[in-house]
Structure formats: structure tokens, C-alpha cells
Amino acid sequence: MKRRWKVVLLVSAALTFAILVHMHFIRGYLDGRIMLGPNDGMAQMLPFKQHLYEQYTQGNLFYSFSFGLGGGIYSQLAYYFSTSIVYLLTMLVIKVLDIANVIGNPDVITWAKAILPVSIIRLTTALLLAVAVFRYIRIPLLPAFAGACFYSGSAIYFRHVVYWEFFSNAFLWLPLLVLGVEKIIRERKPYWFIAAVAISVFDNFYFSYISFIFIGIYVIARWVIKLSEDELPIRSQLLYFIPALLLGFGIGSISFIPSVYAFLNNYRPAFDDPIPFYGNEDNILFTSRTLLVPALFVILVCVAGFYRNKLFRLFALLSILFIFFQGSPRIASIFNGFSAPQYRFEYLSMFVIAGTIAVGLTLLPKVRKAHLLLAIGLAVLLYCLHLRHDVTLDWEDDWARYVWRGVALVMAAFLIYTFKRKAWMLGLCLIVVFATYIPLINAHQEKQLSGAGNVEDSTLQFLKSDKYASSEQQELIQDVLESDGTFTRLEWKTDNRNNTNLVQSFPGVSIYSSILNKELLFFYYYDLNIDMKRESVSRYSGFGNRANLYGLLNGKYIMYDKQEPIDAPYGFEPYMASSNYVVYRNDNMLPFAKVSDDVFQEKDLESHTPLEREHAMLDGIVLADGESSEDADSLPDLMDQVTVEAAGGTYQDGQLQVDEEEGGLDLRLDEGLPQTGDYYTSFYLKNNDPSAPLYDLAVNEFKTDRKSQQSIYRTKVDDLTIRVKAADTIRIRLPKGSYTIKDFQLQHEDYQKLEETAAEAEEIPFLIHNNQVIVDYDNQQNGDGYLKIPVPYEKGWQVSVNGEKQELLKADYAFLGVKLQDGENHIVFTYRPPFWNILIVLCLGSLLLSLGWGWLLRKRHMAGEKGEKEA
């Protein structure tokens, strides 16, 4: 009974602490604000949660046709939430509440409201898990709890929750990994390590990679610093660690392998900027956004006598090592998969800092007075040095004074404790520590997140506004889709948010996600050179107002805000409207499933322009391998009938100097050139100033933007193709600056081919259900016919014709195709995550082997105990 009350008290204390460090966000919640960043939080976290909820509860576990142009959500969203254990549990709770009619139909507002309570529960759980680990390594309960508070209630935890919520789940699994290591070293029990590895790799492949780097360092540190004499020898440890690691990985591989494949099948330009080994100016004592080191740690790590204790030495030296890592962009790059430096590993630092605090508190009653006085003096000196050398901060800075007041109180309390060694005085010191830390971490949230990060602008009211998801927008979209009755796509974004279709639940033509199908990205960047009206990696959007692509890829509708200029592609006419919005419909739609005998090969089209490739896609099917049966159209380059003139600057030998606030080039077309249809103008463009910021580019009515060369989000695609309506002058406008602009091409599109193809196309019945596309087609041509559908090609798709598996073809650069048989063709395209069947066997096999190994070890242990008793 006493033990039960102790557990209740511990859980209550953990929950109380979690609530107290969330008070800034609790107050905001009561005022209608949400614990969510206005950028990726609203642009990715909420849309992905809502979309996965819709898909999972409808039985679509693996693939979504509304994830942009379509994608394997189990694989591509595993970096986010598709395999996140916390998200899956939250989803289950929300579904139960939905069934019980406790809440209305779940939407993004439901998920926004859930962030705060889930965060409080997650922090409480992480705290308790850290306490459990510290208690296991023989740290008394009160110091273990105090240390764990600094781990779970750290600045990096709140930053993760606010901006990229799934990051914060790593706080839960790291203590389990450490516990698993200690169980092997101390007790020869691998089950905890197997379970921790399995959970980590299943939950998130990216953070399992980061945590495993830490565990590798931790194990090596434990080999160097042995905490007791009866620890398992290193060679024997390896006999446990290696199979346990493999078995845990095998269990979690059912998520990990598809996720890693999706990551490798993503495309992002290589980060080739120089990465210095050291040079991060983060002020970890005063202003750090990610690693705000507690004053108590600074005092304890300066106590020289504590280093005689092996456990303190272990945690303190690891803390110093990871604080050193905080200053190294090169180390940050390693933790980010050897890519651009990203500081996301601070939760590792906070764990060992928490361990240092927990052990240090147990040693305080025995510390020498001189050692403690010296430590306090060194701590004050460190704070003064950080304040002195941070050029952005000074003694008069409001935030510096706020930190100093808290530090001064802690220093004063421990200074008094130095001369009055009583247990109650140490307790009073801890009260002072937490009485200063809790307001400090709340103030840090207000300054670094709500203030500097504009989180204060994230409100429930905004989620209902026309910049996110107003009822008027959603009602008009539903009216359009219900009037259609077939699977078609609608283009619409609010406030330039590529995931609007996920928020408002319609099949769209855009997506923003860190992991995307590289076949689609190559299609946009290189194969068709589609300008998305915004340069940025990890996204695609629309078809550059190119009518051929809308017809080919099922783009039937576009919605516009009536207050904005409307630049509809050729063939789109007003269809349906509300007070503030209007939807245009495509009059030149091609069928979802298209059949052709005309074959073009990608290699034969390499020298052709994007417009000529569009025509090849209209005429037939473009395949990656084999031989062409037809020659692709070659359209004339009209640049020899164009005069190029500078506007607001000078232009010579491909170098443009814009001297006015806005200028550029005028491409003046000869009088004999067509004034109907569209023009496709292609050119190379690069800002000559490496430090220039993001800049706007306008080509007549078409507006887009280009990233700074310093941006890690630039695509590095500088060959542009822009479609504009036919006019006598094509005006290219740029802001003041120096540019390289050259290699011009100009082609005319009259859309005769599109209109003829649309008029002659045969409607083919199809059915989309969960992760399948079913097409029935009677092939009476008895030729070498092919069928293609506008579903992105990626590993995991299979196709059968009349029940027999057939070769899946990559059609039109990035989509699905199959060779037809003579007569009736019952075609079934089916998606499963990559290597799915093998992974089920590997997962179940690893689980059974783990249970078997555990049974053998338990049997051996029982036999050993029996032998000891008989002896």
C-alpha cells in the first residue's frame, strides 16, 4: 500500500510539474491561441495529422490519392506521424471520442486543441521514464525526480512540440534505450534493449538514427567508466548487444525499411556549402533557443570533488562533450545525416545534463565547503564570460537581467547551504531552483516561441479564416466535387499553403513534405521544367498554368479568390461561384485512363523542349526503356523573330544589370507571330549576387519567386520555362540587381493537339478504392497497346492483367503504365509499402526469436538459482 501511494505521489508530482512548465501555453489556450508554430506547424503538422486520421479511419493504411498527386503515406509520412506511437494512440482516443459523440467530426481544429493536453501527458511520461532510469542506476528518488524535470521540461522539448511535434517523441524512447543498455551490462537481460530498439526504429527512423549515435557513445563511455565490479565483460556484452540490436531492428523494420526507402527515394539538392568544424555562437546560458543550460548544472559540474564519483563522472563528461557538440556545425551535420547542419539533438544533451544534476544532488551533503565555494565562483565567472562575449546581449538587456535574477537567487541559496549543511536547507535550495526555473522556462517560451517565433499569431480563429480553411471555401469545394461525381483534381491554396487540400479534404495538385517521390520532383524540375510559382525544395504545386498538363493529369478545376487577379489556363471557364470565390472548369479534360499504340522513349526526347514533351504525352506514351515507335514533334524556336531590349537597365552578353527598382528585358515579337494561344518562353536565370535575398520574377501575368543562393531550400534549378498568354511583348521583370539571363527559347502553343486529343479520347471505366486502381478495357486494336494512368510511379506498386502479374511501366516520366493484352483487360494496380511481405516475415520472425531467447535466458537463470539453493 505504501509503495502504491508513493507511485501515486510521484505521478501527481510529475503531472504538476508538467502543468506548471506549460502555463504560458495554458494561458494562451484559454485566450484561443494554440501551441503550434505558424509555419511548418500549420503547414505540415496539422494537415498531416488530419489527413492520416481520415485515411486510417477509412481503411487506407498505405496509400492516399489525395497526398499531392498521390503517394505512399505509410512510407512518405513515417518521418512525421504515420508510424508515430504517440500519434496513433492520440488518433485512437479521438476516434473513441468521436464514436461516443463527445466531440464533433474531427478536423484540424480538433487536432490543434489536442496539442496541449497531449504535450502535458507526453512530458509527464518522459519525466517518469527518466526517473525510472535514474532510479535503476541507484540514484535516490528525490534527486532522480529533480534531474528528470530538467530533461523533460527543457527548452528544446517545447521548441520541438511547437514547430515539429513528432520530434518531441524522442524524449520518450531515449530513456528506454539507456535502460536497455544498463540491463544488459548489469543483469544480462536483453529484453529491454530489444524492446527499446524496436520502438525507436518503428516510431521514427530519423530520430532513431540520432538516438543510436548517442547510445553508441554512451556504451563506449560505459566501457571506459565501469560503475561496478560485477558488470558483464565487454566481449560478453557484445554477445548480447549485437543480437539484441538485430532482433529489435527486425521487429521495428516493418516501419523502418519503408521509411528509409522513402527517404532515399526522395530528392533534395546536395548541401555543398562549406561546413566549419566550430562556429555556432549559441549562448547556452542566456539566450539559446534550443539548449538553455540550468544554473544548477553549471554549479554542480564545477565541483571538482564530484568527479571522483564514477556515475557523476560519466554524466558530467558526456554533458561537456555534448555541449561541445552544440558549438560544432560539422557535428550538427553528422546528426542530420551528413546534410545541412541542424541542431535537433539537444534532447540528448539535456538527458546527460539531467543525469549530472541528479547524481550531483546526491553528492552535495558530502562536498567540501571549499569545493562548493569554488564551484559557485566558477559558475558566476562562466555567466559573466558568456554575457561579456555575446555581442547581442549586455547587462542592461531585459532578458539578461531576468536570467541573472534567477541565477543570483540560485547562487545565493547554495552559498547559504555551503555554510549551513542541513537537509532542510538543501530542500529549500531545490525549491529556489524550481521557483526560478519554472518561470524562466515559461518566459523563454514567451520570448523565443510566441514572440520571436510568432506563435502568438497561431489562433483557433485563424484556422477558421479565409487564410486557412473558411467555411465558404470548403462548402464551395464540396459543391463542385459533388456535382462532378468522379475522381478529379482541384487546384486551390490558401495563403500559399501547399497542403490546403489535406486541410480541406479534396484531391489537389500540390504538396509540401520533407519526403516526396523523387520521380515527381524530377518530373517538375527537369523532365517538364514546371514552374510552381515558388521556388523551394520539398514541395510541388500546380502545373505552371500549362493546359496540356492539366488535361493529362486529371486537373479539372481551379479555384480563385475573386479579389486576386485571375490567370486561368487555356480552356478553363467559370463554372461555380460563391460570394468571394470562383471555380473554373477545364473544357479539355482527358480520361483518367488513357490508351495508345504510339510509344516515345525518354532518351529520344532528351533534346526536345518541355512543350514538345507535352505533345509526346498527348500523342502517346513516354516510356523509360525500349524503342520509340514514333518521332516526336519538333516545334520551331521563334527567338529569331524576337527583339530583346533592356528595360530599366542594361543587357549585354547574357548579363543583365537592373538599375531601377524594377526592370528586366522586353522580348518584342515580330508582327507576323500569332496573338492567340500561349507562348512558352525558356531561359537560364541566376542572381549574380550570392548574398541577395529571395526575389520576385514576373513574366507578363505569370508571377513566381526565386530563392537566395544562401538558402538551403533552393532547388538549384536555374533553367526556367514560363507559359504566358500570347502577346506582342513578353516582359521579364526583376528587382534591382545583377543577373545572368541567357539561352532563350520561344515556342507557340495553339492547343489544337490538346483539343483534338480530348475530343477523340475514349472514356475508360475505372475504380479507385483504398490502395487500388481498377481499370477495365476491351482492347480491340490487337496491337501493341499501352495503358497509362496519372498515378505517380514509386516502388510498392504492382499491376496484374486478367489476374496475372505484369511488368509495371514508368509512363510519361513519373506515372504508371502497363502493356495491354488483346481483348478484355481487367487491370488492377495495387500498392503495398516497399518490401512489405518480406518485412512481415522479418518482423514476426524477430519477435518470435526474441521471445524464444528470453525464455531460454529465463530458464537458464532459474536453473542457476536452483543450483545455488541445492549447493
Side-chain angles (χ1 to χ4, degrees), residues 303-586:
V303 180
F306 285 175
Y307 288 86
R308 288 193 292 267
N309 181 281
K310 292 181 178 181
L311 188 57
F312 183 87
R313 188 158 70 243
L314 172 70
F315 280 112
L317 293 180
L318 284 174
S319 299
I320 294 169
L321 177 65
F322 276 87
I323 288 173
F324 170 79
F325 286 171
Q326 184 71 13
S328 173
R330 186 74 57 82
I331 298 296
S333 171
I334 292 172
F335 276 103
N336 194 38
F338 297 88
S339 185
Q342 292 284 5
Y343 292 87
R344 295 168 177 165
F345 58 86
E346 291 88 342
Y347 71 100
L348 309 175
S349 308
M350 288 309 303
F351 181 81
V352 286
I353 286 173
T356 305
I357 291 173
V359 181
L361 288 174
T362 66
L363 301 176
L364 268 175
K366 299 178 182 179
V367 69
R368 293 182 181 179
K369 182 187 299 184
H371 285 179
L372 190 52
L373 285 173
L374 179 61
I376 294 171
L378 287 173
V380 172
L381 179 62
L382 284 172
Y383 274 95
C384 291
L385 289 174
H386 270 72
L387 189 62
R388 175 69 179 82
H389 290 285
D390 187 340
V391 296
T392 66
L393 204 62
D394 58 44
W395 293 88
E396 299 302 320
D397 185 281
D398 289 341
W399 178 254
R401 286 187 291 183
Y402 189 91
V403 174
W404 257 122
R405 283 197 291 268
V407 171
L409 286 172
V410 173
M411 299 291 180
F414 278 92
L415 188 61
I416 296 172
Y417 176 75
T418 304
F419 298 97
K420 196 173 186 65
R421 299 294 187 82
K422 300 292 183 181
W424 65 266
M425 187 61 209
L426 181 56
L428 183 61
C429 287
L430 286 179
I431 291 174
V432 172
V433 166
F434 284 102
T436 56
Y437 181 76
I438 291 173
L440 176 68
I441 205 67
N442 277 279
H444 188 269
Q445 295 159 19
E446 183 176 6
K447 178 179 175 63
Q448 296 289 0
L449 299 177
S450 294
N454 297 319
V455 176
E456 60 187 11
D457 297 332
S458 300
T459 64
L460 294 175
Q461 183 179 0
F462 180 83
L463 296 181
K464 301 174 184 178
S465 72
D466 57 3
K467 290 188 176 181
Y468 199 79
S470 72
S471 57
E472 181 185 354
Q473 295 168 4
Q474 296 177 75
E475 288 170 6
L476 179 57
I477 289 170
Q478 290 307 310
D479 288 344
V480 169
L481 297 181
E482 288 173 5
S483 71
D484 191 288
T486 61
F487 181 80
T488 53
R489 297 192 177 278
L490 182 146
E491 180 178 338
W492 165 243
K493 293 189 300 182
T494 58
D495 202 27
N496 210 23
R497 297 179 185 273
N498 285 42
N499 290 331
T500 296
N501 61 304
L502 303 186
V503 173
Q504 301 191 17
S505 303
F506 63 88
V509 295
S510 64
I511 198 70
Y512 167 39
S513 173
S514 290
I515 295 179
L516 293 171
N517 180 354
K518 70 179 180 183
E519 305 294 349
L520 273 176
L521 295 177
F522 288 164
F523 178 78
Y524 272 83
Y525 292 170
Y526 307 115
D527 300 325
L528 273 294
N529 201 210
I530 304 167
D531 192 285
M532 297 172 268
K533 302 183 180 180
R534 178 186 184 186
E535 183 194 11
S536 183
V537 297
S538 302
R539 68 186 75 213
Y540 59 82
S541 175
F543 303 119
N545 282 7
R546 288 152 61 170
N548 293 329
L549 296 177
Y550 283 95
L552 283 161
L553 301 178
N554 214 33
K556 191 170 184 178
Y557 302 102
I558 304 179
M559 190 161 93
Y560 297 98
D561 187 332
K562 291 180 179 179
Q563 306 303 314
E564 301 292 333
I566 295 176
D567 176 26
Y570 180 89
F572 277 75
E573 299 294 338
Y575 172 64
M576 194 177 290
S578 64
S579 299
N580 296 295
Y581 304 95
V582 59
V583 174
Y584 279 61
R585 184 174 65 180
N586 188 358

Side-chain angles (χ1 to χ4, degrees), residues 527 605 607-614 635 682 745 747:
D527 300 325
L605 295 173
S607 61
H608 286 256
T609 65
L611 179 56
E612 291 164 355
R613 293 173 188 174
E614 288 181 12
L635 303 174
S682 300
Q745 283 185 310
Q747 292 181 313

Side-chain angles (χ1 to χ4, degrees), residues 582-807:
V582 59
V583 174
Y584 279 61
R585 184 174 65 180
N586 188 358
D587 290 338
N588 293 312
M589 280 293 293
L590 300 178
F592 179 85
K594 294 168 277 293
V595 171
S596 179
D597 292 335
D598 297 330
V599 178
F600 305 91
Q601 295 301 318
E602 289 183 11
K603 64 178 183 294
D604 296 331
L605 295 173
E606 287 179 357
S607 61
H608 286 256
T609 65
L611 179 56
E612 291 164 355
R613 293 173 188 174
E614 288 181 12
H615 281 195
M617 293 162 63
L618 289 170
D619 285 334
I621 182 171
V622 180
L623 298 178
D625 301 304
E627 298 295 331
S628 297
S629 66
E630 302 290 331
D631 292 327
D633 288 347
S634 292
L635 303 174
D637 183 356
L638 305 176
M639 281 304 297
D640 59 353
Q641 303 177 61
V642 173
T643 302
V644 180
E645 299 176 356
T650 58
Y651 179 65
Q652 187 174 7
D653 297 329
Q655 298 302 306
L656 172 66
Q657 180 67 44
V658 178
D659 298 321
E660 299 180 5
E661 289 303 310
E662 181 181 87
L665 296 176
D666 288 342
L667 309 186
R668 299 192 181 279
L669 281 60
D670 290 355
E671 291 184 2
L673 292 178
Q675 293 297 302
T676 59
D678 288 344
Y679 282 106
Y680 281 49
T681 178
S682 300
F683 51 88
Y684 173 90
L685 174 65
K686 188 171 184 179
N687 196 317
N688 293 331
D689 181 0
S691 62
L694 177 145
Y695 61 95
D696 294 327
L697 166 66
V699 183
N700 285 13
E701 72 277 1
F702 192 91
K703 307 248 182 329
T704 184
D705 63 42
R706 307 294 297 163
K707 290 287 186 186
S708 162
Q709 291 185 47
Q710 302 299 311
S711 173
I712 63 174
Y713 302 111
R714 67 191 187 277
T715 63
K716 300 184 181 180
V717 177
D718 298 318
D719 292 299
L720 309 181
T721 296
I722 307 292
R723 161 270 178 202
V724 293
K725 294 177 181 177
D728 57 7
T729 303
I730 297 175
R731 296 176 174 84
I732 300 173
R733 292 294 180 264
L734 294 157
K736 186 176 183 179
S738 174
Y739 306 88
T740 297
I741 181 168
K742 59 184 181 179
D743 301 336
F744 285 94
Q745 283 185 310
L746 184 69
Q747 292 181 313
H748 179 253
E749 172 61 292
D750 60 11
Y751 294 108
Q752 181 179 349
K753 186 178 292 290
L754 172 62
E755 291 174 340
E756 290 176 353
T757 304
E760 296 170 0
E762 175 186 2
E763 287 291 342
I764 301 172
F766 70 96
L767 173 66
I768 292 178
H769 178 67
N770 288 354
N771 58 326
Q772 283 190 331
V773 179
I774 302 170
V775 182
D776 288 295
Y777 179 70
D778 186 6
N779 183 21
Q780 297 297 330
Q781 303 300 317
N782 296 324
D784 296 327
Y786 293 86
L787 179 138
K788 62 181 180 180
I789 58 175
V791 174
Y793 179 95
E794 63 178 288
K795 190 173 184 64
W797 278 108
Q798 295 180 339
V799 62
S800 66
V801 179
N802 297 328
E804 295 183 4
K805 186 176 179 180
Q806 300 294 319
E807 180 186 5

